Amino acid sequence: MKVAVIMGSISDMPVMQEAIDILKSFKIEVEVDVVSAHRTPEKLFDFSQNAHLRGISVVIAGAGGAAHLPGMVASMSPLPVIGVPVKSSNSIDGWDSVLSILQMPGGVPVATVALNGAKNAGILAAQIIGSSNKEILDRIIAYKLELKEAVNKASESLKK
């Protein structure tokens, strides 16, 4: 059980680090790389067509601007792909990235999280793996319980 976290540019790393961190907290192995749909198409093809052969279970692909990376991976890979739209310096307030990842044609699904939502992408990848792995499922259940407890604690602190 391994998740690949890829991004179109190293400048996406500060956003994508949140996916890496949450996956590691669930004790899921993470492979990280820069794979540009436009600048390294041969690498993109090789990654997409062979990730499942290397033990990857889910791909998280972050991209800004034109944001072709998640869709291109999904077009060539049998694995679930989660797209993270990244608000980059050349984007139109991030909307171009959101729409590029969100508006996939029928037959080529990409799960899309919020703009810069890499943490949720990591959680979703863990949930996908957890659907067939009890250890990961138990960690997700514990994580969600911690979220609930934190909210309850905050609520109680307001009442004092």
Side-chain angles (χ1 to χ4, degrees):
M1 106 195 115
K2 187 181 343 178
V3 174
V5 175
I6 61 172
M7 59 209 85
S9 170
I10 193 66
S11 65
D12 300 333
M13 189 62 180
V15 170
M16 300 308 290
Q17 187 65 50
E18 291 189 27
I20 297 163
D21 292 344
I22 195 75
L23 287 163
K24 287 182 177 180
S25 78
F26 290 127
K27 296 181 175 38
I28 295 173
E29 188 178 348
V30 183
E31 174 186 295
V32 182
D33 203 356
V34 175
V35 181
S36 172
H38 301 109
R39 293 175 294 246
T40 59
E42 297 85 3
K43 183 176 182 179
L44 166 71
F45 279 50
D46 180 61
F47 171 86
S48 302
Q49 294 171 341
N50 295 304
H52 67 287
L53 299 174
R54 293 191 338 276
I56 302 295
S57 300
V58 180
V59 176
I60 298 174
H68 287 101
L69 183 60
M72 289 300 296
V73 172
S75 75
M76 293 180 277
S77 177
L79 298 173
V81 177
I82 303 168
V84 179
V86 176
K87 185 176 180 180
S88 61
S89 60
N90 66 336
S91 73
I92 305 168
D93 208 28
W95 281 106
D96 48 343
S97 304
V98 170
L99 294 173
S100 291
I101 298 171
L102 183 69
Q103 292 297 110
M104 292 301 299
V108 187
V110 173
T112 309
V113 295
L115 186 64
N116 290 347
K119 182 177 183 178
N120 275 352
I123 295 167
L124 181 56
Q127 290 174 316
I128 290 168
I129 292 169
S131 69
S132 62
N133 182 306
K134 181 154 177 20
E135 288 179 29
I136 300 301
L137 182 63
D138 289 344
R139 291 181 191 131
I140 293 165
I141 291 168
Y143 173 78
K144 291 197 175 233
L145 183 59
E146 289 172 16
L147 292 177
K148 177 182 174 181
E149 290 170 355
V151 170
N152 287 338
K153 185 177 179 181
S155 175
E156 288 300 317
S157 73
L158 291 174
K159 296 176 184 174
K160 292 180 182 179

